[in-house]
Coordinates of all heavy atoms in Angstrom, one line a residue:
V253 N 11.4 3.5 3.6 CA 12.0 4.0 2.4 C 11.6 5.5 2.2 O 12.5 6.4 2.1 CB 11.7 3.2 1.2 CG1 12.3 3.8 -0.1 CG2 12.1 1.7 1.4
H254 N 10.3 5.8 2.0 CA 9.9 7.1 1.7 C 9.4 7.9 3.0 O 9.3 9.1 3.0 CB 8.8 7.1 0.7 CG 9.2 6.6 -0.7 ND1 10.2 7.2 -1.4 CD2 8.8 5.6 -1.4 CE1 10.4 6.6 -2.5 NE2 9.6 5.6 -2.6
K255 N 9.0 7.1 4.0 CA 8.6 7.7 5.3 C 7.4 8.6 5.1 O 7.3 9.7 5.6 CB 9.7 8.5 5.9 CG 11.0 7.7 6.2 CD 12.1 8.6 6.7 CE 13.4 7.8 7.1 NZ 14.0 7.2 5.9
K256 N 6.5 8.2 4.2 CA 5.3 9.0 3.9 C 4.0 8.1 4.1 O 4.0 6.9 4.0 CB 5.4 9.4 2.4 CG 6.5 10.4 2.1 CD 6.4 10.9 0.7 CE 6.3 9.9 -0.4 NZ 6.2 10.5 -1.7
V257 N 2.9 8.9 4.3 CA 1.6 8.3 4.2 C 1.1 8.4 2.8 O 1.5 9.3 2.0 CB 0.6 9.0 5.2 CG1 1.0 8.7 6.7 CG2 0.6 10.4 5.0
P258 N 0.1 7.5 2.4 CA -0.5 6.4 3.2 C 0.3 5.2 3.1 O 1.1 4.9 2.2 CB -1.9 6.3 2.4 CG -1.5 6.6 1.0 CD -0.5 7.7 1.1
V259 N 0.0 4.3 4.2 CA 0.5 3.0 4.2 C -0.7 2.1 4.6 O -1.3 2.3 5.6 CB 1.6 2.8 5.3 CG1 2.1 1.3 5.3 CG2 2.8 3.7 5.0
L260 N -0.9 1.1 3.7 CA -1.9 0.1 4.0 C -1.3 -1.1 4.7 O -0.3 -1.6 4.1 CB -2.7 -0.3 2.7 CG -3.9 -1.2 2.9 CD1 -5.1 -0.5 3.4 CD2 -4.2 -2.0 1.6
L261 N -1.9 -1.6 5.8 CA -1.4 -2.9 6.4 C -2.5 -3.9 6.2 O -3.6 -3.7 6.6 CB -1.2 -2.6 7.9 CG -0.1 -1.6 8.3 CD1 0.0 -1.4 9.8 CD2 1.3 -2.1 7.7
H262 N -2.1 -5.0 5.6 CA -3.1 -6.1 5.4 C -2.4 -7.4 5.9 O -1.3 -7.8 5.4 CB -3.4 -6.3 3.9 CG -4.5 -7.3 3.7 ND1 -4.6 -8.0 2.5 CD2 -5.5 -7.7 4.5 CE1 -5.6 -8.8 2.5 NE2 -6.2 -8.6 3.7
H263 N -3.0 -8.0 6.9 CA -2.4 -9.1 7.6 C -1.0 -8.7 8.1 O -0.1 -9.6 8.1 CB -2.2 -10.3 6.6 CG -3.5 -10.9 6.2 ND1 -4.4 -11.5 7.1 CD2 -4.1 -11.1 5.0 CE1 -5.5 -11.9 6.5 NE2 -5.3 -11.7 5.2
G264 N -0.8 -7.5 8.5 CA 0.5 -7.0 9.0 C 1.5 -6.7 8.0 O 2.6 -6.2 8.3
K265 N 1.2 -6.9 6.7 CA 2.1 -6.6 5.6 C 1.9 -5.2 5.0 O 0.7 -4.9 4.7 CB 2.0 -7.7 4.5 CG 2.3 -9.1 4.9 CD 2.2 -10.1 3.8 CE 2.5 -11.5 4.2 NZ 2.3 -12.5 3.1
P266 N 2.9 -4.4 4.9 CA 2.7 -3.0 4.5 C 2.7 -2.8 3.0 O 3.5 -3.5 2.3 CB 3.8 -2.2 5.2 CG 5.0 -3.3 5.2 CD 4.3 -4.6 5.4
I267 N 1.9 -1.9 2.5 CA 1.9 -1.5 1.1 C 1.9 0.0 1.1 O 1.1 0.6 1.7 CB 0.8 -2.0 0.2 CG1 0.6 -3.6 0.3 CG2 0.9 -1.6 -1.2 CD1 -0.4 -4.0 1.3
A268 N 2.9 0.6 0.4 CA 3.1 2.1 0.4 C 2.8 2.6 -1.0 O 2.8 1.8 -2.0 CB 4.4 2.5 0.8
E269 N 2.6 3.9 -1.1 CA 2.4 4.7 -2.3 C 0.9 4.4 -2.8 O 0.5 3.3 -3.0 CB 3.3 4.3 -3.5 CG 4.8 4.6 -3.2 CD 5.0 6.1 -3.0 OE1 4.7 6.9 -3.9 OE2 5.6 6.5 -1.9
S270 N 0.2 5.6 -2.9 CA -1.3 5.5 -3.1 C -1.7 4.7 -4.3 O -2.7 3.9 -4.3 CB -1.9 6.9 -3.1 OG -1.5 7.6 -4.2
L271 N -1.0 4.9 -5.5 CA -1.4 4.2 -6.7 C -1.2 2.7 -6.6 O -2.0 1.9 -7.0 CB -0.7 4.8 -7.9 CG -1.1 6.2 -8.3 CD1 -0.4 6.6 -9.6 CD2 -2.7 6.3 -8.6
V272 N -0.1 2.4 -5.9 CA 0.2 1.0 -5.7 C -0.8 0.3 -4.8 O -1.2 -0.8 -5.0 CB 1.6 0.8 -5.1 CG1 2.0 -0.7 -4.8 CG2 2.7 1.4 -6.0
I273 N -1.2 1.1 -3.7 CA -2.2 0.6 -2.8 C -3.6 0.4 -3.5 O -4.3 -0.6 -3.3 CB -2.4 1.6 -1.6 CG1 -1.1 1.6 -0.8 CG2 -3.6 1.2 -0.7 CD1 -1.1 2.7 0.3
L274 N -3.9 1.3 -4.4 CA -5.2 1.2 -5.1 C -5.2 -0.1 -6.0 O -6.2 -0.8 -6.1 CB -5.4 2.4 -6.0 CG -5.7 3.7 -5.3 CD1 -6.0 4.8 -6.4 CD2 -6.9 3.6 -4.4
E275 N -4.0 -0.3 -6.6 CA -3.9 -1.6 -7.4 C -4.1 -2.8 -6.6 O -4.7 -3.8 -6.9 CB -2.6 -1.6 -8.2 CG -2.4 -0.5 -9.2 CD -2.8 -1.0 -10.6 OE1 -3.3 -2.1 -10.8 OE2 -2.5 -0.2 -11.6
Y276 N -3.4 -2.8 -5.4 CA -3.5 -3.9 -4.5 C -4.9 -4.1 -4.0 O -5.4 -5.3 -3.9 CB -2.6 -3.6 -3.2 CG -2.6 -4.7 -2.2 CD1 -1.8 -5.9 -2.4 CD2 -3.5 -4.7 -1.1 CE1 -1.8 -6.9 -1.4 CE2 -3.5 -5.7 -0.2 CZ -2.7 -6.8 -0.4 OH -2.7 -7.8 0.6
I277 N -5.6 -3.1 -3.7 CA -7.0 -3.2 -3.3 C -7.9 -3.8 -4.4 O -8.7 -4.7 -4.1 CB -7.6 -1.8 -2.8 CG1 -6.9 -1.3 -1.5 CG2 -9.1 -1.8 -2.7 CD1 -7.2 0.1 -1.2
E278 N -7.6 -3.3 -5.6 CA -8.4 -3.8 -6.7 C -8.1 -5.3 -7.0 O -9.1 -6.1 -7.3 CB -8.0 -3.0 -8.0 CG -8.6 -3.5 -9.3 CD -10.0 -3.2 -9.5 OE1 -10.7 -2.8 -8.5 OE2 -10.5 -3.3 -10.6
E279 N -6.9 -5.8 -6.8 CA -6.6 -7.2 -7.0 C -7.0 -8.1 -5.9 O -7.2 -9.3 -6.1 CB -5.1 -7.3 -7.3 CG -4.6 -6.6 -8.6 CD -3.1 -6.6 -8.8 OE1 -2.4 -7.2 -7.9 OE2 -2.7 -6.0 -9.7

């Protein structure tokens, strides 16, 4: 979609956008 870093892969599932990733890590 955005073709930008960062992208977090967890169990092969991608999460994009840094603030979204931070929320995912927290949860």
Side-chain angles (χ1 to χ4, degrees):
V253 177
H254 294 302
K255 305 177 177 65
K256 297 189 302 184
V257 291
V259 177
L260 185 76
L261 297 176
H262 187 208
H263 294 301
K265 297 178 180 178
I267 305 98
E269 298 297 306
S270 65
L271 291 183
V272 177
I273 295 172
L274 291 182
E275 293 265 9
Y276 179 84
I277 291 170
E278 174 75 342
E279 293 173 5

